[in-house]
Amino acid sequence: MTLEIPATPAADVDDAAVDALRVSLGGTVLRPGDAGYDEARTIFNGMIDRKPGLIARCTSTGDVAKAVRFGRERGLVVSVRGGGHNVAGNAICDGGLMIDLTPMKGIRVDPAARTARAQGGVTWREFDRETQTYGLATTGGAISSTGIAGLTLGGGFGWLGRSYGMSCDNLISADVVLANGSVVTASADENADLFWGLRGGGGNFGVVTSFEYRLHPVTSILGGMLLYPFEQAGAVLRAARDFNQSAPDEMSIFGVLLTSPEGAKVVALLVCYNGPIEQGEARLRPLRESTKPMADLVAPITYEQQQTLLDEGFPFGLQNYWKSEFLKGLSDEAIDVLVEQFRIVPSPLSALVLEQFGGAYARVGAEETAFVHRDWDYNFVIISRWADPAEAEQNIQWTRGVWQAVQPFASGGVYVNYLEPGQEGADRIRAAYGPVYDRLVALKTKYDPSNFFRLNQNIKPSA
Ligand SMILES: Cc1cc2nc3c(=O)[nH]c(=O)nc-3n(C[C@H](O)[C@H](O)[C@H](O)COP(=O)(O)OP(=O)(O)OC[C@H]3O[C@@H](n4cnc5c(N)ncnc54)[C@H](O)[C@@H]3O)c2cc1C
């Protein structure tokens, strides 16, 4: 039965109680007006401008448990911030309590066991830095400022995904603070139902304070990008699609329509070959020869270089409105639609991206984890970005128009981590969780019956 807690504004919490919380935490507590408050409430998407009544900047699992109990006892709306990268902006609430994991940066690598344990505020840049010290890595996001927490809980794709599966497939265990303030470990042997839900089901069930991952030997890779003029977009995307159909797991290619810094529309193939360099060169040769890039920036680089290759183009603070859809196959007709839609893009900061799937992603059973989109060939993402808030309408309209235009080719499934701001309605949540939606509702009802974590990706307990 749902006993949803009524929302009390955090501003109504008396100073004595806030002071007591301050004293009890290893971290800090911020209220509007405090030094650092505005910085702490700034997330990746500049469109989201919310003001929590309280921010608990936690440094440990104990801090998180205290903050959860504090919020629960006072009936506050609570949001949880990991890396703060999610475009939908669920990490931050208006008027409630934001449990901020940003200060939780601990990472410990066990090189012999090839595992790493990292706290919930770690970003992929920080994680890769530590694991690469030992020549190890796991699948992580392609922009290094993204948090490991939200990305892993929603699934997690990256350059290593076709070799080693999603980030969530590499999760061994997690420490979780539940809605009642208790702390549990979830793994294949302990709280296995929760462990299943954490691997793709989002942050619905509790606050994950640390993640333990399986690591793989990864050092240098063949990576970078091939660039072509926009007039070749259709031909290049077709060639890449044909190439991808028989590409080995070690090869990942993303097709991107974007605008160059000089203002010209271009098509890019982003490449990562995670294997011996000479082998990668040989395997890539047919694609290079058939498409003749105007700039060939693919070379042997370190994994950390590949992981930070795109960072400069993704600063915090721009207006972001993204929509996505998984695609089964990529027909000539679908490619033509993408090219035509990009021709009319209103902002030079926007891009259309085809993220290649297959390989190890597809070798995990559809319901083995709560991430179910294993069979699709591409994740298509409309990355819509602009600088001036006054330009929101035309950019959002363009995004929706592109999304509408690809519907004839769409699978009906969407990646929960790419849900757009303000569109987390029941249909899209169902599209994100597909056949495991009811199982996730049952799990939510067991672990969070009062819907305390109500902002975290929107699975509601059953009534
Ligand atoms: C520029 C950019 C690039 C991206 N690239 C990739 C990519 O390559 N691969 C990919 O898979 N995804 C990618 N994403 C999507 C990314 O996976 C999501 O944005 C993800 O939610 C980010 O995690 P975070 O911790 O930074 O986010 P946050 O905004 O902090 O959190 C996201 C959600 O998870 C919840 N949450 C956060 N931490 C916890 C926790 N410890 N316990 C419980 N709940 C928590 C939050 O409450 C929120 O609902 C990208 C996004 C952006 C903006």
Side-chain angles (χ1 to χ4, degrees), residues 43-44 79-87 89-91 101 120 140-143 145-153 155-158 166 202-204 206-209 211 254 314 320 322 355 415 417-418 455-457:
I43 57 172
F44 176 80
S79 70
V80 180
R81 177 188 172 135
H85 235 262
N86 197 280
V87 166
N90 293 337
L101 275 57
I143 306 295
S145 53
T146 312
I148 62 165
L151 183 136
T152 304
L153 293 170
F157 330 135
M166 308 200 62
N204 283 292
V207 187
V208 180
T209 55
F211 296 80
F254 289 5
F314 286 89
N320 281 263
W322 299 20
E355 300 177 337
Y415 182 30
N417 276 348
Y418 285 159
L455 295 181
N456 285 10
Q457 282 137 7

Side-chain angles (χ1 to χ4, degrees), residues 211-410:
F211 296 80
E212 184 191 5
Y213 295 95
R214 194 171 300 114
L215 303 176
H216 311 270
V218 179
T219 47
S220 51
I221 47 132
L222 184 67
M225 70 175 86
L226 306 172
L227 275 175
Y228 309 83
F230 188 64
E231 301 75 67
Q232 272 174 253
V236 168
L237 292 180
R238 281 180 181 77
R241 171 204 58 199
D242 295 344
F243 177 82
N244 286 346
Q245 270 159 9
S246 55
D249 291 356
E250 293 85 354
M251 187 75 82
S252 277
I253 296 197
F254 289 5
V256 188
L257 298 174
L258 74 160
T259 305
S260 72
E262 296 74 32
K265 288 191 175 58
V266 291
V267 54
L269 296 180
L270 308 182
V271 177
C272 178
Y273 185 80
N274 168 40
I277 301 296
E278 311 78 56
Q279 208 178 71
E281 297 276 13
R283 289 190 156 151
L284 193 61
R285 193 167 302 125
L287 184 65
R288 274 172 153 156
E289 286 179 357
S290 70
T291 55
K292 300 187 179 47
M294 65 176 175
D296 186 333
L297 308 173
V298 174
I301 53 177
T302 64
Y303 176 66
E304 278 182 278
Q305 282 174 311
Q306 177 78 9
Q307 282 289 85
T308 50
L309 201 68
L310 309 172
D311 280 8
E312 216 176 292
F314 286 89
F316 271 53
L318 289 172
Q319 310 285 297
N320 281 263
Y321 185 84
W322 299 20
K323 274 178 96 72
S324 79
E325 198 75 34
F326 288 107
L327 306 180
K328 179 81 186 156
L330 187 60
S331 63
D332 286 354
E333 208 187 343
I335 290 174
D336 291 344
V337 166
L338 300 189
V339 174
E340 285 318 304
Q341 291 294 324
F342 194 68
R343 220 178 272 289
I344 54 167
V345 65
S347 165
L349 299 172
S350 295
L352 298 181
V353 183
L354 288 160
E355 300 177 337
Q356 186 193 0
F357 255 51
Y361 290 126
R363 285 196 289 274
V364 175
E367 298 187 25
E368 219 172 291
T369 65
F371 180 87
V372 295
H373 306 285
R374 301 288 182 172
D375 266 357
W376 314 128
D377 298 305
Y378 290 94
N379 188 32
F380 168 61
V381 196
I382 310 163
I383 296 187
S384 194
R385 303 186 305 159
W386 62 100
D388 182 352
E391 293 168 5
E393 201 181 324
Q394 55 169 322
N395 284 287
I396 291 173
Q397 259 177 28
W398 174 77
T399 317
R400 290 180 177 159
V402 180
W403 184 78
Q404 212 59 56
V406 298
Q407 286 315 293
F409 318 103

